[in-house]
Amino acid sequence: MFWDKKIECMEREEIKELQLVKLQNTVKYAFDKIPYYHKKYSEYEVFPEDIQSLEDIEKLPFTTKDDLRQVYPFGMFAVSTDEIIEIHSSSGTTGKPVISGYTKKDIDNWSEILARGLTEWGVSSNDIVQNTNGYGLFTGGLGIHYGAQKIGATVVPISTGQTRRQIELMNDFESTCLIVTPSYGLYMGEVAKEEGFNLKDFGLNVIGFGSEAWTEEMRKRLEETFGVPAYNIYGLTEMMGPGVGVECSKQNGLHIAEDYYYPEIIDSSSGKHLPEGTHGELVLTNIEREGMPVIRFRTKDITALDYNPCDCGRTFCRMERITGRTDDMIKVKGVAVFPSQIEKALLKISEIEPHYQVIVSRPGNLDEIEVKVETAPELFSDDVRELMNIRNKIADHIKNEVGIKVKVTLVEPKTIPRSTAKAVRVIDKRNLH
Amino acid sequence: MEKVKQLSIFLTNQKGKLYNVLNILKENNINIRALSLTDTSEFGILRLIVDCPDKGKELLEKNNYTIKISSAIAVELSDTPGGLSSVLKILNDNNINLDYIYAFTHEYSDKAILFLSTHDLDLLITVLKENSIEIVPSDEIYNL
């Protein structure tokens, strides 16, 4: 099914033409309206008229998360807050959060993108969409909400948590589409089983999942648990939210909404474009956004793009499932965690930073983080209660920084392996790559 | 000196950990007078009274162990039924809460030696003295 077949099945040449016009407009608009771009482009001596072809985008400097953070809160807005009707924010776990602002038109566009995605999965106005993504500043909740309303589906805005109630309502309402993070979906499956329900007897037709690293094996388990196909959605707050890429029924990559986003794949160290089909860092540009166009944003997500037309009939290029990150960021329970946050928390306990290692695992279906901390003399006490206190204090500080609960284990000095180059701070045992 | 130097060593609760420490002491000819091991499911604190605590600390630190020298009070009591409870009654009556306690007997007499530790060691010493409980000086412990 198509939401807007004319757009979604455009010829490659048409897409390119459209993208070039939109890119040129965006660069000019950003240069004129946003001091950040005006200053930066002037420094780089690159101006809107230098964009004569899509390839010319390489002349423009990148925008990083740090750049966005430095203009916190509203410095990236191209319009005054009069015209901004909604604000979202990243979790802000690594310092100041990144703010994303939307005009009325942006919200319409965002709804449009997600309407396409949901339609790709066969969701229509007849459907009941149970959205377990968190509502609030997180884009995952409201983004899906708008898209589902756009197609006229019935939204159940239940948000995350209350798992037993989720299952009860899913059964009572006969929800047909479920939106989850993969780990939460699997958790729901476990709880339903405990409660004696067979999820396959429910009225569900499809699952949409995102905001977390996943594997084909996890997708299979999700599909087996609920007895329906599961499709991935990709997006990030900086670029608007979910919907940058959405999988179609072929489950062979996520179609990027190329009339709203211009994707590039670069070598993350040289910053240069990589040949088509090569794995590298995804760089995204909002080519149609009023409130806050972000140009050449380095996502730090690693993927590859496939420009061959898809069997589903869509011509928009497909990105592969994200297979890694160019930084040490780990996504656990949908939350981005950086080793620097763990360091910050440890420095609150002791002036000398203890050696540590983060181990992420998924013993059942839910992620767990264990932080091993070497018991340096500054941390050691002859009193067991005191040691337990220190351990709990470390766990509390990390929870404050990161936002999720971690298990802290005190280990003996010099038992965490050291490497001569970059220390291996994070061991991800979830096998996501 | 009433306070006996004690080595408190951090150990994770894993096979072979205790042996490694004891082996280092053995190889360097350090003799253990008394020992106690407190454990949780993840880690433990090994407390040792040895003949030369400073040397022991240095050695173990060189081998990457985290160690603190802490103090305990040694008292001597008769190695007969009721010996220990009589001491504890006195502490109880004086509102002293012990953090930990361990005991050993030695071959030279029929006395037992008890190591006591609490938050306020000086108060403990005063109470013990007031109640005429014999405190064994640290030198004597090291040279037993």
Side-chain angles (χ1 to χ4, degrees), chain A residues 375-385 387-388 391 407-415, chain B residues 6 8-12 17 38 40 42-43 45 47 64-68 70 97 99-100 117:
Chain A
T375 313
E378 306 79 48
L379 291 179
F380 180 57
S381 157
D382 172 44
D383 187 336
V384 174
R385 271 166 306 175
L387 272 179
M388 295 290 223
R391 192 193 62 182
K407 180 187 173 199
V408 172
T409 311
L410 298 175
V411 300
E412 287 160 31
K414 303 271 157 63
T415 51
Chain B
Q6 162 190 257
S8 301
I9 303 149
F10 179 86
L11 289 181
T12 43
K17 293 288 182 184
T38 315
T40 68
E42 290 159 25
F43 60 82
I45 299 175
R47 299 192 179 93
N64 296 322
Y65 286 94
T66 295
I67 294 181
K68 273 215 162 109
S70 47
N97 183 23
D99 286 338
Y100 53 84
S117 182

Side-chain angles (χ1 to χ4, degrees), chain B residues 69-115:
Chain B
I69 287 201
S70 47
S71 299
I73 306 301
V75 299
E76 197 172 63
L77 38 102
S78 59
D79 189 12
T80 51
L84 176 57
S85 66
S86 62
V87 175
L88 293 186
K89 183 173 187 311
I90 290 160
L91 298 182
N92 193 25
D93 292 345
N94 285 278
N95 253 336
I96 288 178
N97 183 23
L98 290 174
D99 286 338
Y100 53 84
I101 175 170
Y102 53 109
F104 78 110
T105 54
H106 59 86
E107 53 196 289
Y108 303 115
S109 67
D110 55 355
K111 299 275 184 174
I113 288 181
L114 191 62
F115 293 100

Side-chain angles (χ1 to χ4, degrees), chain B residues 121-141:
Chain B
L121 281 182
D122 294 322
L123 176 68
L124 176 65
I125 293 168
T126 313
V127 168
L128 292 171
K129 280 184 177 161
E130 276 170 3
N131 289 276
S132 323
I133 293 170
E134 196 184 331
I135 297 178
V136 189
S138 54
D139 298 355
E140 212 170 295
I141 295 287

Side-chain angles (χ1 to χ4, degrees), chain B residues 4-7 9 21-36 46-57 59-60 102 104-108 115 138-144:
Chain B
V4 184
K5 280 187 185 173
Q6 162 190 257
L7 299 180
I9 303 149
V21 173
L22 300 186
N23 197 42
I24 290 166
L25 298 179
K26 180 197 99 178
E27 306 234 303
N28 290 280
N29 230 355
I30 291 177
N31 205 354
I32 298 169
R33 298 284 173 243
L35 161 161
S36 122
L46 171 65
R47 299 192 179 93
L48 294 175
I49 307 282
V50 296
D51 50 2
C52 25
D54 294 316
K55 189 180 160 203
K57 177 172 188 271
L59 264 170
L60 289 171
Y102 53 109
F104 78 110
T105 54
H106 59 86
E107 53 196 289
Y108 303 115
F115 293 100
S138 54
D139 298 355
E140 212 170 295
I141 295 287
Y142 305 141
N143 297 317
L144 272 173

Side-chain angles (χ1 to χ4, degrees), chain A residues 80-365:
Chain A
S80 75
T81 46
D82 288 10
E83 286 172 70
I84 296 287
I85 63 161
E86 190 164 314
I87 278 167
H88 283 277
S89 155
S90 67
S91 44
T93 44
T94 46
K96 285 281 187 201
V98 170
I99 302 298
S100 209
Y102 308 73
T103 63
K104 175 78 180 55
K105 194 166 167 241
D106 292 335
I107 294 286
D108 285 348
N109 289 340
W110 191 20
S111 315
E112 180 75 16
I113 296 166
L114 283 157
R116 284 183 201 163
L118 289 164
T119 310
E120 282 177 52
W121 310 337
V123 180
S124 71
S125 59
N126 301 327
D127 281 279
I128 296 179
V129 178
Q130 185 162 337
N131 185 7
T132 77
N133 280 352
Y135 277 66
L137 286 170
F138 173 50
T139 50
L142 282 166
I144 301 289
H145 185 91
Y146 295 141
Q149 288 198 333
K150 180 98 184 175
I151 60 173
T154 309
V155 187
V156 184
I158 188 162
S159 206
T160 313
Q162 313 182 66
T163 309
R164 284 184 168 74
R165 184 121 195 272
Q166 296 265 10
I167 292 159
E168 194 188 319
L169 294 189
M170 200 161 116
N171 193 22
D172 296 347
F173 295 171
E174 298 187 353
S175 304
T176 51
C177 172
L178 180 70
I179 306 291
V180 290
T181 61
S183 56
Y184 188 64
L186 291 169
Y187 177 65
M188 278 179 80
E190 274 179 10
V191 174
K193 205 170 158 193
E194 275 170 34
E195 303 273 294
F197 288 111
N198 183 359
L199 289 167
K200 290 179 184 168
D201 296 339
F202 286 26
L204 208 62
N205 292 326
V206 64
I207 291 175
F209 67 94
S211 35
E212 212 175 61
W214 60 285
T215 58
E216 278 304 334
E217 191 252 332
M218 278 172 75
R219 185 220 294 274
K220 270 202 198 94
R221 264 165 56 212
L222 254 185
E223 294 185 331
E224 275 161 19
T225 304
F226 290 87
V228 298
Y231 303 114
N232 187 223
I233 318 169
Y234 171 79
L236 49 173
T237 311
E238 294 83 355
M239 303 310 296
M240 237 159 40
V244 172
V246 183
E247 265 189 320
C248 66
S249 58
K250 301 295 170 201
Q251 297 185 330
N252 190 20
L254 295 85
H255 287 283
I256 294 184
E258 286 192 87
D259 52 339
Y260 290 97
Y261 302 99
Y262 183 73
E264 302 166 73
I265 297 288
I266 61 158
D267 176 319
S268 65
S269 39
S270 73
K272 294 276 176 249
H273 275 171
L274 287 172
E276 201 177 305
T278 316
H279 283 91
E281 183 180 343
L282 178 67
V283 170
L284 289 168
T285 297
N286 288 119
I287 50 175
E288 185 168 345
R289 191 173 176 191
E290 267 183 356
M292 191 181 121
V294 178
I295 299 170
R296 300 201 87 200
F297 182 70
R298 294 191 65 152
T299 66
K300 299 198 173 178
D301 283 326
I302 293 167
T303 183
L305 299 178
D306 183 351
Y307 284 88
N308 294 309
C310 180
D311 292 342
C312 75
R314 284 176 187 78
T315 49
F316 284 161
C317 74
R318 283 164 293 154
M319 58 180 273
E320 263 184 25
R321 174 178 74 86
I322 302 294
T323 48
R325 294 275 305 172
T326 61
D327 56 12
D328 275 345
M329 187 191 88
I330 32 170
K331 270 214 163 176
V332 183
K333 296 177 180 166
V335 175
V337 177
F338 292 86
S340 57
Q341 294 171 278
I342 311 268
E343 278 159 31
K344 212 168 134 192
L346 290 174
L347 284 170
K348 284 185 183 158
I349 302 284
S350 153
E351 282 186 10
I352 304 149
E353 183 197 307
H355 210 71
Y356 71 93
Q357 193 166 50
V358 182
I359 295 153
V360 190
S361 60
R362 191 171 282 167
N365 286 323

